[in-house]
Amino acid sequence: MDFISWKDIEFKDGFWGLRQDVLANATADAIYNRFDETGRIRAMNLNWKEGDPCRPHVFWDSDVAKWMEGTAYLLYHRPDPELSDKLEKIIDAIEKGQTEDGYFNSAIMTLVPEKRFKDRTNHELYTAGHLMEAAVAHYEATGQERFLKIMEHFADCIEKAFVTEKTASFKTPGHQEIELALLRMYHATNNPRYLELSAHFVRQRGLDPNDRVFSVPNGTPPAYPPCDNQLYYNDTYAQDDAPAHQLEKAGGHAVRAMYFYTAMAGVALETHDEDLFNACRRLWNDSTGRKMYVTGGVSAERYGEAIGTEYVLPLELSYAETCASVAMANFSKAMFCLEPDGKYMDMIELEMYNGALAGLSLDGKGFFYDNALMCRPRVTDFFKGIHATPLYPPYERQELFECSCCPPNIYRFIAAIGQYFYSTDGHRLFVHQYANSSASVAWGSGKITLEQKTEYPWDGDIAVTLHGKQSFPGEIALRIPGWCSSADIRVNHQPVPYSMKNGYAYICRRWQDNDLIQLHLAMPVTKLFSNPNVTETAGKCALRRGPIIYCLEGIDQPEYDIFDMCLPDSYNDFSLTTMTIAGQKVTAIGGVAMVSDPEAFSGPLYTTSLPHRRPAPMRAVPYYCWANRGVNDMTVWIQHNG
Amino acid sequence: MDFISWKDIEFKDGFWGLRQDVLANATADAIYNRFDETGRIRAMNLNWKEGDPCRPHVFWDSDVAKWMEGTAYLLYHRPDPELSDKLEKIIDAIEKGQTEDGYFNSAIMTLVPEKRFKDRTNHELYTAGHLMEAAVAHYEATGQERFLKIMEHFADCIEKAFVTEKTASFKTPGHQEIELALLRMYHATNNPRYLELSAHFVRQRGLDPNDRVFSVPNGTPPAYPPCDNQLYYNDTYAQDDAPAHQLEKAGGHAVRAMYFYTAMAGVALETHDEDLFNACRRLWNDSTGRKMYVTGGVSAERYGEAIGTEYVLPLELSYAETCASVAMANFSKAMFCLEPDGKYMDMIELEMYNGALAGLSLDGKGFFYDNALMCRPRVTDFFKGIHATPLYPPYERQELFECSCCPPNIYRFIAAIGQYFYSTDGHRLFVHQYANSSASVAWGSGKITLEQKTEYPWDGDIAVTLHGKQSFPGEIALRIPGWCSSADIRVNHQPVPYSMKNGYAYICRRWQDNDLIQLHLAMPVTKLFSNPNVTETAGKCALRRGPIIYCLEGIDQPEYDIFDMCLPDSYNDFSLTTMTIAGQKVTAIGGVAMVSDPEAFSGPLYTTSLPHRRPAPMRAVPYYCWANRGVNDMTVWIQHNG
């Protein structure tokens, strides 16, 4: 299975074209400037001195690296000499700063060079991995090998410290990432040692009971009160509790987990490791089937930024880290390579339009780290300064975080969104995602161009025109999303035979230049209900249309309390309207909800009769658009009476 | 308004007789032994030395004092020489240890005698107050003045330090309690200086911006991570944010607040202070009308053990401290003295049978400090050791807490439960509470005996027989509880005229010896709904019968998920059954709830159709009985479809 590179697909307009424009016009600078102001960029020059402001931090290189990676993607289709210059200057710094034997971590080298590979919590392999991903992106985008070579040198240094000479004081990364980065290095260089090193880290993890991030044994009750984060941590936190192929349940720190599972799937694929594949399948099924928000959020547990436990999905106290959603998309892509099932691409789509996308403001300058499923600003405000640790996700996106992993992660995700659109497998071409775009695909013995015209995700009509060879046989597999119960497929306006398998409509025929595939995906507004094991959402429904999950925002129903609004079971008469949020057109859902009479709100705290209810207009907006119009109540889950 | 003393009413059997038997047979020793084992009892001897185990703590005297107070009540009707001896020995220790000028605090005297009245956080006035309450109880119970005199001496010492000579380093107590205790001293001794000192502390509070418990100014965001509780604290925490008569909203640490409001009401009564009375009215209305659980719990906010903000009543993360419910009963009693309205006595009844009572196990040996409104042990267990601070209330009662204020508080509350039953106001006799009991009441020019025969709270038939004077005119006011919509009143089997006012049925007539008042209170099972401002309980109902709030426990419906159970709006066909929980007979509610088909639980996480539902038997038990039959799911609020 070969996925078409992010660079071979271009979004000039439409949903993703607009989002990438925003990246280019706002996000690239917004992130760079915040990183510059906070010393992250200049830390790469290794000239910070005691007494200077902005003391370097061990994971800062990863923030910068993800910005570099995203910028490399972005510049390919949207050249910008100034931005390019910024990127190259950071590469200069890394090149200059790298030790003779290949090591680089700006904080360790500046502050405690003697601590190199001495402390598993120091994120050195995590930052190395992100730098490697940036180098691969840069190489793919520019064809220049400079940065890639620097990182190859670093990879060699790591191999020496952890495999050949074993000089490192620990065995596996405290925070996974390098495993999947090494797989990308392997694909970029064809050097099998990087695959071997990745597989080494994947298979070594959980084997040695002394190779632990923290010294707190499993199950030890934390001392009260807490003095630092370590008290939340146990072996599950960093997936140290068992060897990879024995992991039964998705658990621990969600980003570490998702990065690790992605690498596990990659290693399983490359090494034909059925046990590891089965473990990946278990972990994917567990995290998506029992531990995932309807938006695609995969960390339900704030403390430890963790996946949490099955069917426990708190709404107002959700975590749903943006990075974890991005990582879930990549885990799903890796799973698809192991078994071509549409459910994996459905999951990517869920993250693309919801869980991950909500992490970025529509103006491209604000970010959510943790994502609320329900938000009452008056409550959050009341508890500000009372809770010692923040209990609630914020209700406004921020420009920067102390741990600012999410902004450059959603940036690189959107910049390379094309990577999820097409793949080929011999004579078969998979069309996974739908968006206005133009792609160049190596298929069979030559190249063809695929032109998608669509208003997707607002409309289910997609026209795909093939340009290229005069005539060629082949099978095109169109993903029929899991949310779609009625699809219509035509080629050149004529119905065609196709077979459905695992979420794909397979059309096998002799294709001609200029063939037009017309796909219609019915997109009714649908109520979603949760498994009855999920106590938090009992008696509630969520609204979905196409791939988009909707929410209620207070601003759209200023006269009502959105948490009081209730949709009767019999009600399905939703309407659609186009509206503008922060200058961007979106499709909103209109409807009629039942609300309590106003008097009830000023009435007694408890009564023996249900307050009288009356119909009221209700409007739902795409979840990813929330918090773009000021401070606001929000809920994904709506009271439902049925 | 004169309330009949706790000692003038006896519960031989029936609901409270049984509860007091349990106190005598189990609780008195259970608390004493835990306090003994942990060094609290022997700390009173002031001979702890560095290196000894069990270092004394500044609030330990209050734990012991509340045990002493409860024991004094208990011994009056249930003499026990051994228990009495334990009590007297502690008084011996205090007598021996008290300084010449009257001071006593075992921890300060043992550890840092030079710190006397130097640090507002040291709880010295709080422990002093509880010792005074114990002394008053001991005096009332025994007629002996020894303990009372010791505490009068202490009160004089305090007056000197805080008023006459102003040698103390702060002006008002860090934790209120002494204000209400001084009012009890005043009533026991008729010494007006104690009223004055109480009024001084009430009126001084909030005046001096430098008289603060903590140095963290209001609204300052706490440093992260927290290293101790102080970060949760601001001026509202200890009701320091405004002078008492200006307080607008109930807020801050709930027990401090309720103790303070009780004293405010007492001072308002004694000094005819209308402003203070109005403040009390505001605070009572705010805490009961916007910030109270349906069980009577008044601290919705775990961090800072605080009242929380209006209409925010988290269920699974409730705090609902037992002490705060006990204190709310006393605040309500003080309010009734200011204005004889049945709502105050309804509130006491709510606490008696629900919010406060749930703090004690049926065997009398286990205690809840914080009380869950909803509990999923599998969730609590999963997060044990992950959350640095406990997020959830426990699902099992414990024998002791590090801060063990609640066990002796519920102990003294039940031991003196008779104090809430009757009061007189000139020619008027109020009957506030109903229970099998025998009371001796000074009314008009003589004494009469009131004999109550009833199965209350399980049955609404109450027979009150008057014994005493041959014939006398007077008005008897029977409380018709707010929960009762249909009452029938007869005297000697004949309907009698009565007038209803503020929750009381006033019967004015010439009474005869042996007159029989027959009160029938209809007790249908009633669904309760919350104000639509309460997001947490939207779409849910609670069940109440008479004064009892019910809950679902997993053990009673082992085949179903109690959080999935849903009562249709049209369903009201509840039945009653008598069952035995931990050896005690209670009335359970039977009904039929709708539950999801079993397949739904193993089905997908999200679906587009509501899982099919079918009827299932449901049983609800009194909330105060929960967690007496092992580890168990529990919910007060039940899904409701209407």
Side-chain angles (χ1 to χ4, degrees):
Chain A
M1 182 73 56
D2 294 307
F3 270 82
I4 306 313
S5 166
W6 58 271
K7 70 191 236 190
D8 293 329
I9 173 164
E10 195 173 1
F11 303 96
K12 283 221 178 94
D13 49 20
F15 192 89
W16 293 107
L18 281 173
R19 307 277 346 135
Q20 291 188 343
D21 287 346
V22 169
L23 291 195
N25 298 333
T27 313
D29 280 351
I31 297 176
Y32 182 90
N33 291 341
R34 296 299 86 70
F35 285 0
D36 193 28
E37 290 155 15
T38 53
R40 281 167 167 84
I41 304 288
R42 62 180 181 278
M44 306 299 277
N45 298 318
L46 310 184
N47 54 8
W48 183 89
K49 277 185 286 302
E50 205 64 61
D52 289 354
C54 305
R55 185 186 187 83
H57 191 283
V58 287
F59 55 61
W60 271 8
D61 291 3
S62 68
D63 294 344
V64 175
K66 275 183 284 187
W67 178 86
M68 296 171 78
E69 183 185 347
T71 301
Y73 299 136
L74 199 62
L75 285 169
Y76 184 80
H77 289 296
R78 287 168 176 77
D80 178 338
E82 206 179 314
L83 192 60
S84 176
D85 190 51
K86 284 174 181 161
L87 172 58
E88 296 299 327
K89 281 211 171 108
I90 302 173
I91 302 173
D92 294 346
I94 297 169
E95 188 170 37
K96 187 166 161 240
Q98 184 174 40
T99 63
E100 210 166 311
D101 66 342
Y103 181 85
F104 190 88
N105 177 297
S106 65
I108 297 289
M109 292 172 76
T110 308
L111 303 174
V112 282
E114 73 282 5
K115 288 278 187 193
R116 186 208 283 200
F117 298 141
K118 293 294 171 223
D119 183 344
R120 196 167 178 250
T121 65
N122 268 347
H123 284 70
E124 291 158 285
L125 297 176
Y126 171 74
T127 60
H130 276 303
L131 286 167
M132 287 175 195
E133 288 204 82
V136 170
H138 185 263
Y139 169 66
E140 290 171 349
T142 64
Q144 297 165 16
E145 293 195 331
R146 177 169 78 123
F147 192 13
L148 186 64
K149 289 286 174 205
I150 297 171
M151 285 302 121
E152 287 188 69
H153 194 25
F154 196 0
D156 299 343
C157 162
I158 290 167
E159 185 190 40
K160 203 182 273 184
F162 287 86
V163 179
T164 331
E165 300 182 356
K166 294 194 169 54
T167 51
S169 301
F170 52 97
K171 293 183 176 167
T172 58
H175 191 312
Q176 299 95 321
E177 151 66 22
I178 195 162
E179 303 87 339
L180 70 86
L182 284 165
L183 291 173
R184 293 189 68 181
M185 292 285 284
Y186 165 60
H187 290 129
T189 64
N190 280 319
N191 184 338
R193 283 173 36 237
Y194 301 143
L195 167 60
E196 281 160 31
L197 186 55
S198 171
H200 168 79
F201 283 135
V202 165
R203 296 212 169 93
Q204 172 64 38
R205 195 172 200 89
L207 281 185
D208 181 349
N210 295 318
D211 196 42
R212 292 290 178 267
V213 179
F214 305 103
S215 53
V216 183
N218 257 335
T220 302
Y224 180 91
C227 277
D228 68 39
N229 267 340
Q230 295 195 17
L231 297 169
Y232 310 128
Y233 297 171
N234 55 24
D235 286 350
T236 304
Y237 173 81
Q239 299 73 48
D240 286 327
D241 44 347
H245 66 279
Q246 290 174 9
L247 289 171
E248 290 289 336
K249 293 189 168 193
H253 185 271
V255 177
R256 282 170 162 85
M258 292 298 137
Y259 282 11
F260 189 49
Y261 304 161
T262 305
M264 282 168 60
V267 169
L269 179 75
E270 301 295 345
T271 65
H272 310 287
D273 184 334
E274 196 69 23
D275 280 354
L276 206 52
F277 174 27
N278 285 332
C280 291
R281 215 191 247 134
R282 285 195 300 271
L283 296 167
W284 195 90
N285 288 339
D286 190 41
S287 46
T288 62
R290 283 180 285 273
K291 298 168 179 174
M292 177 171 273
Y293 287 104
V294 72
T295 55
V298 274
S299 42
E301 176 40 24
R302 173 159 300 270
Y303 297 91
E305 310 190 308
I307 292 174
T309 188
E310 49 268 31
Y311 302 116
V312 177
L313 295 161
L315 303 177
E316 193 165 22
L317 291 95
S318 60
Y319 201 66
E321 183 178 341
T322 303
C323 280
S325 278
V326 168
M328 170 50 89
N330 289 325
F331 178 28
S332 298
K333 184 181 173 188
M335 289 304 292
F336 186 86
C337 295
L338 284 163
E339 53 180 356
D341 191 313
K343 69 183 179 183
Y344 298 119
M345 289 297 147
D346 287 353
M347 185 53 61
I348 291 175
E349 188 180 56
L350 182 68
E351 301 296 2
M352 281 167 68
Y353 293 102
N354 306 284
L357 191 57
L360 181 65
S361 65
L362 295 179
D363 71 4
K365 297 173 184 169
F367 307 92
F368 277 135
Y369 188 118
D370 39 336
N371 290 274
L373 271 281
M374 162 183 167
C375 179
R376 294 181 289 176
R378 71 179 183 89
V379 174
T380 317
D381 282 344
F382 179 80
F383 289 120
K384 251 184 209 164
I386 292 181
H387 287 288
T389 49
L391 255 197
Y392 301 102
Y395 50 73
E396 284 180 304
R397 291 182 185 80
Q398 286 154 58
E399 294 193 341
L400 180 87
F401 307 90
E402 203 167 327
C403 170
S404 212
C405 50
C406 294
N409 220 350
I410 183 67
Y411 172 63
R412 65 172 184 150
F413 176 69
I414 296 171
I417 202 78
Q419 66 168 310
Y420 305 110
F421 273 64
Y422 297 103
S423 65
T424 58
D425 189 12
H427 75 296
R428 192 174 291 144
L429 169 67
F430 286 93
V431 185
H432 302 301
Q433 307 296 347
Y434 304 107
N436 247 20
S437 60
S438 170
S440 168
V441 176
W443 186 25
S445 57
K447 279 223 167 190
I448 62 159
T449 300
L450 290 156
E451 202 78 46
Q452 282 197 33
K453 290 279 175 210
T454 177
E455 296 293 317
Y456 199 88
W458 311 123
D459 185 275
D461 283 318
I462 301 130
V464 187
T465 311
L466 279 63
H467 300 289
K469 294 174 281 189
Q470 281 305 311
S471 170
F472 54 102
E475 196 171 43
I476 290 187
L478 301 172
R479 182 174 64 95
I480 308 302
W483 51 258
C484 179
S485 56
S486 165
D488 181 78
I489 301 171
R490 287 163 198 249
V491 174
N492 303 326
H493 307 284
Q494 299 301 318
V496 286
Y498 62 87
S499 58
M500 278 299 304
K501 194 181 159 197
N502 293 335
Y504 285 81
Y506 289 82
I507 313 167
C508 191
R509 60 183 276 151
R510 176 162 286 274
W511 300 93
Q512 311 288 335
D513 185 25
N514 280 322
D515 265 356
L516 172 67
I517 304 172
Q518 295 159 299
L519 173 63
H520 173 76
L521 302 171
M523 277 189 180
V525 175
T526 309
K527 289 179 186 168
L528 295 180
F529 304 95
S530 64
N531 184 298
N533 280 305
V534 186
T535 298
E536 292 86 350
T537 47
K540 297 186 169 80
C541 72
L543 296 181
R544 183 180 68 190
R545 180 175 176 265
I548 306 270
I549 303 293
Y550 282 74
C551 69
L552 302 184
E553 277 197 282
I555 194 171
D556 294 312
Q557 23 265 324
E559 289 172 46
Y560 308 105
D561 178 332
I562 60 169
F563 307 107
D564 173 57
M565 290 185 131
C566 180
L567 289 170
D569 189 40
S570 57
Y571 183 82
N572 276 292
D573 193 21
F574 298 103
S575 60
L576 300 176
T577 40
T578 298
M579 65 181 282
T580 302
I581 298 181
Q584 297 184 23
K585 277 193 180 163
V586 303
T587 300
I589 297 173
V592 176
M594 300 301 286
V595 297
S596 302
D597 279 349
E599 310 82 74
F601 289 88
S602 50
L605 188 50
Y606 302 106
T607 57
T608 54
S609 58
L610 204 54
H612 181 257
R613 298 185 149 242
R614 62 206 170 102
M618 184 204 82
R619 171 177 282 187
V621 296
Y623 171 69
Y624 80 83
C625 294
W626 92 275
N628 277 285
R629 292 173 292 166
V631 174
N632 213 3
D633 280 348
M634 186 277 289
T635 187
V636 171
W637 289 92
I638 304 165
Q639 296 293 328
H640 183 262
N641 206 336
Chain B
M1 183 70 59
D2 293 307
F3 269 82
I4 305 315
S5 166
W6 58 270
K7 69 191 235 190
D8 293 330
I9 173 165
E10 195 172 0
F11 304 95
K12 284 222 178 95
D13 50 21
F15 193 88
W16 293 106
L18 281 173
R19 306 277 347 133
Q20 291 188 343
D21 287 346
V22 170
L23 292 194
N25 298 333
T27 313
D29 279 351
I31 297 177
Y32 183 90
N33 291 342
R34 297 299 87 69
F35 285 0
D36 193 29
E37 289 156 15
T38 53
R40 282 165 165 84
I41 304 288
R42 62 182 180 275
M44 306 298 276
N45 297 320
L46 310 185
N47 53 9
W48 184 88
K49 276 183 285 301
E50 205 64 60
D52 288 354
C54 306
R55 188 187 186 82
H57 191 284
V58 286
F59 55 59
W60 272 9
D61 290 4
S62 70
D63 293 344
V64 176
K66 276 183 284 187
W67 178 85
M68 295 171 78
E69 184 186 345
T71 301
Y73 299 137
L74 199 63
L75 285 169
Y76 183 80
H77 289 296
R78 287 167 177 76
D80 177 338
E82 206 178 316
L83 192 61
S84 175
D85 190 50
K86 284 173 180 161
L87 171 58
E88 296 298 328
K89 281 208 170 109
I90 303 173
I91 301 172
D92 293 345
I94 298 169
E95 187 170 38
K96 187 167 159 237
Q98 183 174 39
T99 63
E100 210 166 309
D101 65 343
Y103 181 85
F104 190 87
N105 177 297
S106 64
I108 297 290
M109 292 172 77
T110 308
L111 304 174
V112 281
E114 72 283 5
K115 288 278 187 192
R116 185 209 284 200
F117 298 141
K118 292 294 170 223
D119 183 344
R120 195 167 179 251
T121 66
N122 268 347
H123 286 69
E124 291 157 283
L125 297 176
Y126 171 73
T127 59
H130 276 304
L131 286 168
M132 286 174 195
E133 287 205 81
V136 170
H138 185 263
Y139 168 66
E140 289 172 349
T142 63
Q144 296 164 16
E145 293 194 332
R146 177 170 78 123
F147 193 11
L148 187 64
K149 288 284 172 206
I150 296 171
M151 286 301 122
E152 286 188 69
H153 194 25
F154 195 177
D156 299 343
C157 162
I158 290 167
E159 185 190 41
K160 203 183 272 185
F162 287 86
V163 180
T164 329
E165 300 181 356
K166 293 193 170 54
T167 50
S169 301
F170 53 96
K171 292 183 176 166
T172 58
H175 191 314
Q176 300 94 321
E177 152 64 22
I178 195 164
E179 302 87 338
L180 71 84
L182 284 165
L183 291 173
R184 293 190 67 183
M185 292 284 285
Y186 164 58
H187 291 129
T189 63
N190 280 319
N191 184 339
R193 282 173 38 236
Y194 301 143
L195 167 60
E196 282 160 32
L197 186 56
S198 171
H200 167 80
F201 283 134
V202 165
R203 297 211 169 93
Q204 172 64 35
R205 195 171 201 90
L207 281 185
D208 181 351
N210 296 317
D211 196 42
R212 291 290 177 268
V213 179
F214 306 103
S215 54
V216 183
N218 257 337
T220 302
Y224 178 89
C227 278
D228 67 38
N229 267 339
Q230 296 195 17
L231 296 168
Y232 309 128
Y233 297 171
N234 56 23
D235 286 350
T236 304
Y237 173 82
Q239 297 75 46
D240 285 326
D241 44 348
H245 66 279
Q246 290 174 10
L247 288 171
E248 291 289 336
K249 292 186 170 196
H253 185 271
V255 177
R256 281 170 162 85
M258 292 299 137
Y259 282 11
F260 189 49
Y261 305 161
T262 305
M264 282 168 61
V267 169
L269 178 76
E270 301 294 344
T271 66
H272 310 287
D273 184 333
E274 195 70 22
D275 279 355
L276 205 53
F277 174 28
N278 285 331
C280 291
R281 214 190 247 135
R282 285 195 299 273
L283 297 166
W284 194 90
N285 288 340
D286 190 42
S287 47
T288 62
R290 283 180 285 273
K291 299 168 179 175
M292 178 171 272
Y293 286 105
V294 72
T295 54
V298 274
S299 43
E301 175 42 22
R302 173 160 300 271
Y303 297 90
E305 310 188 309
I307 292 173
T309 188
E310 47 270 29
Y311 303 115
V312 178
L313 295 161
L315 303 178
E316 194 166 23
L317 291 95
S318 60
Y319 201 68
E321 184 179 339
T322 302
C323 280
S325 278
V326 168
M328 171 51 90
N330 289 325
F331 178 28
S332 299
K333 184 181 172 188
M335 289 304 292
F336 187 87
C337 294
L338 284 162
E339 52 180 355
D341 191 314
K343 68 183 179 184
Y344 298 118
M345 288 297 146
D346 287 354
M347 185 53 61
I348 291 176
E349 187 179 58
L350 182 69
E351 301 296 2
M352 280 166 68
Y353 292 103
N354 305 284
L357 190 58
L360 180 65
S361 66
L362 294 180
D363 71 5
K365 296 173 184 170
F367 307 92
F368 278 135
Y369 188 118
D370 39 336
N371 290 273
L373 271 282
M374 161 183 168
C375 179
R376 294 181 288 175
R378 70 180 183 90
V379 174
T380 317
D381 281 343
F382 179 80
F383 289 120
K384 249 184 210 164
I386 292 181
H387 287 289
T389 50
L391 256 196
Y392 301 102
Y395 50 72
E396 283 180 304
R397 290 182 185 80
Q398 286 155 55
E399 293 192 341
L400 179 86
F401 306 91
E402 204 167 327
C403 169
S404 213
C405 50
C406 293
N409 220 349
I410 183 67
Y411 172 63
R412 67 173 184 151
F413 177 69
I414 297 172
I417 203 77
Q419 67 168 311
Y420 306 108
F421 273 64
Y422 297 102
S423 65
T424 58
D425 189 13
H427 75 295
R428 192 174 290 144
L429 168 67
F430 286 93
V431 184
H432 302 300
Q433 308 296 347
Y434 304 108
N436 247 20
S437 59
S438 169
S440 167
V441 176
W443 187 26
S445 56
K447 280 222 166 191
I448 64 158
T449 301
L450 290 155
E451 201 77 46
Q452 282 197 32
K453 291 278 173 211
T454 177
E455 295 293 316
Y456 199 87
W458 311 122
D459 186 275
D461 284 317
I462 301 129
V464 187
T465 310
L466 280 62
H467 299 289
K469 293 175 283 188
Q470 280 307 313
S471 169
F472 54 102
E475 195 171 42
I476 290 186
L478 301 172
R479 182 173 66 95
I480 308 302
W483 51 258
C484 179
S485 56
S486 165
D488 181 79
I489 302 172
R490 291 167 194 244
V491 173
N492 303 326
H493 307 283
Q494 298 302 318
V496 286
Y498 63 88
S499 58
M500 278 300 303
K501 194 183 160 196
N502 293 335
Y504 284 81
Y506 289 83
I507 313 166
C508 192
R509 60 182 277 152
R510 175 161 285 275
W511 300 94
Q512 311 288 334
D513 185 26
N514 280 322
D515 265 356
L516 172 66
I517 304 172
Q518 294 157 300
L519 173 63
H520 172 77
L521 302 171
M523 277 190 180
V525 176
T526 309
K527 289 179 185 169
L528 294 180
F529 305 96
S530 65
N531 185 297
N533 280 305
V534 185
T535 298
E536 292 86 351
T537 48
K540 297 187 169 80
C541 72
L543 297 181
R544 183 180 70 191
R545 179 173 178 266
I548 306 272
I549 303 293
Y550 281 75
C551 69
L552 302 183
E553 277 197 283
I555 194 171
D556 294 311
Q557 24 265 322
E559 289 172 46
Y560 308 104
D561 178 333
I562 60 169
F563 308 107
D564 174 57
M565 291 185 133
C566 181
L567 288 171
D569 189 40
S570 57
Y571 183 83
N572 275 292
D573 194 20
F574 298 103
S575 61
L576 301 176
T577 39
T578 299
M579 65 181 282
T580 301
I581 298 181
Q584 297 183 23
K585 276 194 180 163
V586 303
T587 300
I589 297 174
V592 176
M594 300 302 286
V595 297
S596 302
D597 278 350
E599 310 81 77
F601 289 88
S602 51
L605 188 50
Y606 302 107
T607 57
T608 55
S609 57
L610 203 55
H612 182 258
R613 298 185 149 242
R614 62 204 169 102
M618 184 203 82
R619 172 178 281 186
V621 296
Y623 171 68
Y624 79 82
C625 293
W626 92 277
N628 277 286
R629 292 173 293 166
V631 174
N632 212 4
D633 280 348
M634 185 278 289
T635 188
V636 170
W637 289 91
I638 304 165
Q639 297 293 327
H640 183 260
N641 206 337

